[in-house]
Amino acid sequence: MKAMPWNWTCLLSHLLMVGMGSSTLLSRQPPPLSQKRSFVTFRGEPAEGFNHLVVDERTGHIYLGAVNRIYKLSSDLKVLVTHQTGPDEDNPKCYPPRIVQTCNEPLTTTNNVNKMLLIDYKENRLIACGSLYQGICKLLRLEDLFKLGEPFHKKEHYLSGVNESGSVFGVIVSYSNLDDKLFIATAVDGKPEYFPTISSRKLTKNSEADGMFAYVFHDEFVASMIKIPSDTFTVIPDFDIYYVYGFSSGNFVYFLTLQPEMVSPPGSTTKEQVYTSKLVRLCKEDTAFNSYVEVPIGCERGGVEYRLLQAAYLSKAGAVLAQTLGVHSEDDLLFTVFSKGQKRKMKSLDESALCIFILKQINDRIKERLQSCYRGEGTLDLAWLKVKDIPCSSALLTIDDNFCGLDMNAPLGVSEMVRGIPVFTEDRDRMTSVIAYVYKNHSLAFVGTKSGKLKKHLLLLELYLHLCVTTQASRRGTEAIVPIFTDLGNAGPEVLVAA
């Protein structure tokens, strides 16, 4: 890979961040109680848990996916309308579900956990998928949550049998004159014969159409999906792909994942199971999934590896940070949160890091890997999908930035990890979520933590020269230089430097 166009010491200074925990808010003088900002809150039913939230960018209305209920809220969190989704009689072993055919398994009253919530702007409807009946979805009118459709009579309508709320991610690809597509990525919970781990589906204009959620392409040999082979479970019995985030950019759809794999520790002849964070990329127009590529991602700071992806968010660079990174202000950046190590998925360590990836650099690494494979170098390097190594095949063709694969050398894995830029670490209160946006040319990130704190991070460039000089003059590190805001809602660059 090409050398990165910045100085690491000064970059850490550029990306100086401030944590605004609720119990550690810093200011020159605490504001009077009368000036303190009050926050509007909304609480659901005592037995409910909130799973997903989306905001209508046009109206500011909030749609909240909860256990057994969908809420529509105003921008000030007033309930406008609700839609009941459960509970109902079910058994996760019933496939097809009992609403299609009689099930011999014992039925019990089962909650409906919201697993996916998406706004289909083109058709003014909400796609709400739950845990009941193998993951069927409702299509609700945005205005009043009236049920427009609930397809359930075909196997394509069962999106996921996993009951965890975070098990499914969807990305809508819109077209002006054609039906939209829905890319679905889900854990399969040991049932790959029923559920593809990733697929593209039709989003028909008619919410009750027979073809709703049908695969974009399907024949006897090829389909718009990838299934986990049964042979994979002989190597890793509890193998699954856990999807953390999904988005589209340019001609591609991306998913960020956690995957178990078997590795041999240094100096050992035995293998142990670890988890690797990987980015998966597909072309939007690839109906055969020949463009499937995955690349490992992670970051490192001070000799500590952060490899377990917790959360991610796509945002633009903004003019200030773009100048620092040597990119354009409208270039896409991935803001990611990783926890330390690779061995614990469910019980991650409290040490965590906020890291930035330049999406173009990831795409450049993928292009390099595609070019080398089509020169016949290496193997496909995708252990979970191709249990044995399959050599790359040579072919004379031009591979540009938008290459979408052929029916050879696919799917493909990248072996070398792409490392993000670590900008902030937390040792005690693990970061668990992140969102970012550009405000007056500055990049801002808000991070949620395990203890329920919200931290605001401002990525600064103005202190570049000062911080580089300070860092070189004192080896105490950039952690001692703290931007301080007099108001949590003020995004301006008012800064105090504390040695």
Side-chain angles (χ1 to χ4, degrees):
M1 290 183 64
K2 297 179 181 178
M4 293 188 179
W6 54 71
N7 178 283
W8 272 98
T9 302
C10 293
L11 178 65
L12 293 177
S13 301
H14 300 175
L15 303 182
L16 185 65
M17 316 195 67
V18 59
M20 306 298 289
S22 61
S23 63
T24 57
L25 182 60
L26 300 177
S27 63
R28 287 176 174 172
Q29 289 183 349
L33 290 176
S34 60
Q35 296 180 18
K36 286 189 176 180
R37 183 182 300 273
S38 60
F39 294 94
V40 180
T41 61
F42 169 73
R43 291 179 174 85
E45 298 296 325
E48 287 180 347
F50 298 150
N51 307 122
H52 296 99
L53 179 149
V54 291
V55 179
D56 190 328
E57 297 173 353
R58 304 164 302 184
T59 65
H61 290 149
I62 299 164
Y63 297 89
L64 185 62
V67 176
N68 298 326
R69 202 183 306 267
I70 304 295
Y71 290 93
K72 179 181 179 180
L73 309 176
S74 63
S75 57
D76 58 353
L77 304 189
K78 298 287 194 306
V79 176
L80 301 178
V81 65
T82 65
H83 181 95
Q84 195 80 19
T85 61
D88 205 348
E89 297 292 306
D90 194 18
N91 186 309
K93 295 181 180 179
C94 293
Y95 188 98
R98 70 164 185 85
I99 54 176
V100 176
Q101 69 180 38
T102 303
C103 179
N104 294 324
E105 300 291 340
L107 302 176
T108 58
T109 300
T110 305
N111 287 331
N112 195 2
V113 178
N114 178 257
K115 295 198 294 181
M116 187 177 75
L117 197 66
L118 296 173
I119 294 179
D120 182 354
Y121 287 102
K122 184 177 176 182
E123 302 301 336
N124 287 304
R125 61 193 176 190
L126 189 69
I127 303 172
C129 306
S131 57
L132 283 178
Y133 313 134
Q134 305 297 335
I136 66 171
C137 303
K138 288 187 177 186
L139 296 110
L140 308 175
R141 190 162 57 201
L142 288 177
E143 181 183 0
D144 55 6
L145 298 186
F146 173 79
K147 187 175 75 173
L148 300 171
E150 188 178 17
F152 62 83
H153 58 283
K154 290 185 174 181
K155 63 180 181 180
E156 290 89 350
H157 299 151
Y158 316 136
L159 299 187
S160 173
V162 181
N163 290 329
E164 297 177 11
S165 63
S167 60
V168 182
F169 264 92
V171 176
I172 295 176
V173 176
S174 293
Y175 302 90
S176 56
N177 300 318
L178 300 170
D179 284 343
D180 291 350
K181 293 179 185 176
L182 173 62
F183 282 79
I184 291 286
T186 177
V188 302
D189 196 25
K191 295 174 280 190
E193 68 276 17
Y194 295 149
F195 308 103
T197 187
I198 191 167
S199 60
S200 60
R201 314 296 188 103
K202 296 177 182 178
L203 271 184
T204 59
K205 182 179 180 65
N206 182 354
S207 298
E208 295 182 314
D210 191 59
M212 178 64 77
F213 299 137
Y215 298 115
V216 170
F217 180 79
H218 193 283
D219 67 13
E220 186 178 357
F221 302 105
V222 179
S224 302
M225 68 167 118
I226 288 182
K227 289 190 172 184
I228 300 173
S230 57
D231 288 349
T232 301
F233 296 97
T234 64
V235 180
I236 306 178
D238 60 346
F239 182 85
D240 215 332
I241 299 177
Y242 305 95
Y243 293 88
V244 178
Y245 185 62
F247 63 94
S248 66
S249 175
N251 295 321
F252 301 102
V253 171
Y254 301 81
F255 291 98
L256 300 183
T257 73
L258 271 175
Q259 303 178 21
E261 61 181 7
M262 303 300 293
V263 299
S264 297
S268 174
T269 57
T270 60
K271 291 188 174 183
E272 65 178 9
Q273 182 172 308
V274 299
Y275 288 89
T276 298
S277 302
K278 293 186 178 183
L279 175 142
V280 171
R281 192 187 79 174
L282 282 161
C283 285
K284 291 178 179 178
E285 307 306 319
D286 179 14
T287 59
F289 280 27
N290 291 323
S291 62
Y292 184 100
V293 182
E294 61 181 38
V295 52
I297 58 174
C299 61
E300 179 267 335
R301 186 175 187 183
V304 178
E305 292 277 354
Y306 299 90
R307 300 287 300 277
L308 287 174
L309 184 68
Q310 303 292 303
Y313 192 82
L314 185 76
S315 184
K316 299 299 181 182
V320 175
L321 184 58
Q323 185 177 355
T324 303
L325 298 178
V327 300
H328 299 292
S329 61
E330 290 301 307
D331 282 358
D332 284 330
L333 300 182
L334 264 177
F335 292 78
T336 58
V337 170
F338 289 85
S339 63
K340 178 182 174 181
Q342 277 187 276
K343 294 184 180 180
R344 302 183 184 184
K345 172 187 172 287
M346 301 307 296
K347 296 182 179 180
S348 301
L349 298 175
D350 284 338
E351 295 94 330
S352 57
L354 176 64
C355 305
I356 295 175
F357 292 85
I358 301 171
L359 190 59
K360 185 180 183 303
Q361 289 188 347
I362 296 177
N363 286 328
D364 287 345
R365 180 67 191 98
I366 291 175
K367 183 171 71 172
E368 291 172 5
R369 174 67 174 119
L370 285 165
Q371 290 171 338
S372 68
C373 190
Y374 276 87
R375 291 195 298 266
E377 301 172 8
T379 66
L380 298 189
D381 198 22
L382 205 61
W384 70 266
L385 191 57
K386 310 288 185 182
V387 176
K388 53 185 179 180
D389 290 337
I390 298 177
C392 290
S393 300
S394 179
L396 293 175
L397 73 161
T398 300
I399 296 176
D400 59 15
D401 291 342
N402 295 312
F403 180 69
C404 280
L406 302 174
D407 59 355
M408 60 183 292
N409 294 336
L412 183 65
V414 178
S415 58
E416 182 182 352
M417 183 177 72
V418 175
R419 293 184 179 273
I421 307 160
V423 294
F424 181 76
T425 58
E426 170 62 60
D427 292 337
R428 294 185 177 88
D429 192 10
R430 186 175 78 248
M431 294 179 279
T432 56
S433 58
V434 62
I435 192 170
Y437 70 103
V438 176
Y439 177 82
K440 293 184 179 180
N441 295 324
H442 291 269
S443 292
L444 294 168
F446 288 85
V447 172
T449 71
K450 184 180 72 170
S451 69
K453 291 186 175 67
L454 178 67
K455 299 184 177 183
K456 181 173 73 173
H457 300 283
L458 172 63
L459 286 71
L460 294 171
L461 175 65
E462 290 92 330
L463 298 182
Y464 165 60
L465 292 176
H466 173 77
L467 292 183
C468 283
V469 171
T470 302
T471 302
Q472 293 166 7
S474 170
R475 305 315 299 173
R476 283 176 289 184
T478 59
E479 289 79 5
I481 304 173
V482 183
I484 298 180
F485 297 83
T486 58
D487 177 27
L488 185 61
N490 175 22
E494 181 179 356
V495 177
L496 294 180
V497 179

